[in-house]
Amino acid sequence: MLPLTMRKLKIKNSTLREILTFVCFFIFAGVMWYGYSMGTVRSMIVPVEVSYQGLSPAIQCEETLPNTIQVEVRDAGHRLKIYVDNPLHITLDITTQVQKEQGEIHISSDVLRSHVANLLQGTTKLQVIQPEQIDGHYYKQHKKDVPIRINGTFSAANQYQIENNAILLRPMVTIYGKCNTLNNITEMATQSFAFTDIRDTMVFDIPLQVPATIQVSDSLAHIQVVGEQFTEKVMTIPVEIRNVPEGDTVRLFPSEVSVVLRIGISHFAQLNEHQVKAICYYPTHNVNRLPIHVYCSNQHVTYTRTNPSNVEYIIEK
């Protein structure tokens, strides 16, 4: 008599063989069914994508033209599988139909069938197309070029700065619509945004706020922002006094100040003291000290400060 563990092992092996036998028969039956279905002639609904040549943004259709039509075809299963793996697409040229200010678009069933039939295998029979034809009414819209307004902020990463201002790679956009609608639009603003941690040259595609009653040539604003690591440079600059009345002399204490300028590393070597001026203005009323204003002709300088920030003065008449 076999030990208990041996009997359990024999039962398990027998069960495993039964499961494997069932799986093999199941797979074999599936293969046989698949082969049969691939060789059997049958019908299938195939979606066909549609695009329209000659339909510019200036043309508005009152009815939405379909971008997909449903086609019923008949062929052997293995040939029908081709249309599943490689979706069909047709392009309908309506250029000659949209020459007037307004009119009708009509694509007959014969035209649709001809375009679809050109894409089918020789053995495939085209049975039904839905819709059978495409119709619509169109009118041409007025157009106008308007500037794009940036409606958001960019901020640099730590120890970086934004070089100059954000640049619109395409500052204007063409809008289409009815004349009275376009007359009320003077600009196209972007959607609100706030991007942070800028540390390199980056281009952002920001959606425009497009009213429902108009169309645009491009619904995105393409904005370039340059982030660069900065450094600071300290210069000692003489303080100038401006707007001094004739006959007066103004003495400043101190007559020189330290000016700290922040600039991108790549432009550091271009910065010199001839580009920087520290200026005070003749007081219009009695004050003890005059504030210092720093002016820099180098466009890459983004921040300045002085030490001291104001000076004492004596007016001699």
Side-chain angles (χ1 to χ4, degrees), residues 110-171:
D110 290 339
V111 171
L112 289 178
R113 281 182 168 272
S114 175
H115 278 76
V116 174
N118 289 336
L119 302 178
L120 300 179
Q121 303 285 319
T123 57
T124 304
K125 292 183 178 180
L126 175 58
Q127 296 185 294
V128 179
I129 295 180
Q130 285 293 336
E132 294 183 350
Q133 61 185 30
I134 297 175
D135 293 292
H137 180 80
Y138 78 91
Y139 62 89
K140 287 190 175 181
Q141 305 182 100
H142 294 269
K143 69 176 183 177
K144 178 182 179 181
D145 293 332
V146 295
I148 296 173
R149 177 171 60 85
I150 298 176
N151 180 31
T153 60
F154 298 96
S155 58
N158 190 31
Q159 298 300 312
Y160 283 76
Q161 67 180 15
I162 303 295
E163 279 287 300
N164 303 322
N165 295 320
I167 300 172
L168 279 164
L169 299 182
R170 190 207 63 245

Side-chain angles (χ1 to χ4, degrees), residues 54 59 94-102 138 140:
I59 298 172
I94 60 172
T95 305
T96 58
Q97 298 191 41
V98 292
Q99 298 299 313
K100 300 178 181 179
E101 286 299 312
Q102 61 179 355
Y138 78 91
K140 287 190 175 181

Side-chain angles (χ1 to χ4, degrees), residues 11-25:
I11 292 172
K12 287 182 180 179
N13 289 338
S14 176
T15 303
L16 181 59
R17 282 196 300 270
E18 292 175 358
I19 293 173
L20 291 175
T21 301
F22 173 78
V23 170
C24 289
F25 275 108

Side-chain angles (χ1 to χ4, degrees), residues 64-85:
T64 302
L65 300 181
N67 54 22
T68 303
I69 60 175
Q70 303 297 323
V71 176
E72 183 179 344
V73 293
R74 185 172 180 82
D75 205 339
H78 67 278
R79 294 192 182 95
L80 294 178
K81 188 175 182 297
I82 295 174
Y83 305 124
V84 176
D85 297 336

Side-chain angles (χ1 to χ4, degrees), residues 39-289:
T40 302
V41 176
R42 55 196 179 94
S43 297
M44 183 176 72
I45 301 296
V46 176
V48 179
E49 295 180 2
V50 181
S51 59
Y52 301 90
Q53 183 178 339
L55 192 63
S56 69
I59 298 172
Q60 178 66 39
C61 294
E62 293 184 353
E63 304 84 5
T64 302
L65 300 181
N67 54 22
T68 303
I69 60 175
Q70 303 297 323
V71 176
E72 183 179 344
V73 293
R74 185 172 180 82
D75 205 339
H78 67 278
R79 294 192 182 95
L80 294 178
K81 188 175 182 297
I82 295 174
Y83 305 124
V84 176
D85 297 336
N86 301 282
L88 301 180
H89 177 272
I90 61 173
T91 300
L92 302 174
D93 188 355
I94 60 172
T95 305
T96 58
Q97 298 191 41
V98 292
Q99 298 299 313
K100 300 178 181 179
E101 286 299 312
Q102 61 179 355
E104 301 293 331
I105 296 172
H106 175 70
I107 302 169
S108 67
S109 59
D110 290 339
V111 171
L112 289 178
R113 281 182 168 272
S114 175
H115 278 76
V116 174
N118 289 336
L119 302 178
L120 300 179
Q121 303 285 319
T123 57
T124 304
K125 292 183 178 180
L126 175 58
Q127 296 185 294
V128 179
I129 295 180
Q130 285 293 336
E132 294 183 350
Q133 61 185 30
I134 297 175
D135 293 292
H137 180 80
Y138 78 91
Y139 62 89
K140 287 190 175 181
Q141 305 182 100
H142 294 269
K143 69 176 183 177
K144 178 182 179 181
D145 293 332
V146 295
I148 296 173
R149 177 171 60 85
I150 298 176
N151 180 31
T153 60
F154 298 96
S155 58
N158 190 31
Q159 298 300 312
Y160 283 76
Q161 67 180 15
I162 303 295
E163 279 287 300
N164 303 322
N165 295 320
I167 300 172
L168 279 164
L169 299 182
R170 190 207 63 245
M172 305 288 288
V173 63
T174 303
I175 61 176
Y176 302 88
K178 295 181 178 179
C179 185
N180 58 349
T181 302
L182 298 188
N183 289 339
N184 296 324
I185 300 176
T186 58
E187 64 179 14
M188 290 294 293
T190 67
Q191 293 185 9
S192 178
F193 65 86
F195 292 105
T196 61
D197 202 38
I198 306 296
R199 60 180 69 224
D200 201 351
T201 300
M202 305 179 70
V203 175
F204 297 88
D205 296 331
I206 312 298
L208 297 173
Q209 298 182 41
V210 182
T213 54
I214 69 168
Q215 292 179 299
V216 292
S217 58
D218 189 345
S219 61
L220 299 174
H222 311 286
I223 306 173
Q224 177 177 288
V225 182
V226 179
E228 183 181 21
Q229 198 166 10
F230 68 79
T231 186
E232 291 185 343
K233 188 171 186 175
V234 180
M235 297 179 178
T236 300
I237 304 295
V239 182
E240 302 177 22
I241 181 73
R242 299 283 178 87
N243 301 339
V244 179
E246 187 176 352
D248 287 3
T249 301
V250 179
R251 300 186 185 279
L252 303 175
F253 305 95
S255 60
E256 295 181 332
V257 293
S258 293
V259 179
V260 179
L261 304 108
R262 181 178 296 172
I263 190 169
I265 290 177
S266 65
H267 305 287
F268 181 81
Q270 304 169 8
L271 182 62
N272 59 68
E273 57 272 9
H274 301 295
Q275 300 169 342
V276 184
K277 292 186 179 296
I279 296 174
C280 290
Y281 293 94
Y282 190 88
T284 56
H285 56 280
N286 188 25
V287 292
N288 294 327
R289 304 178 74 89

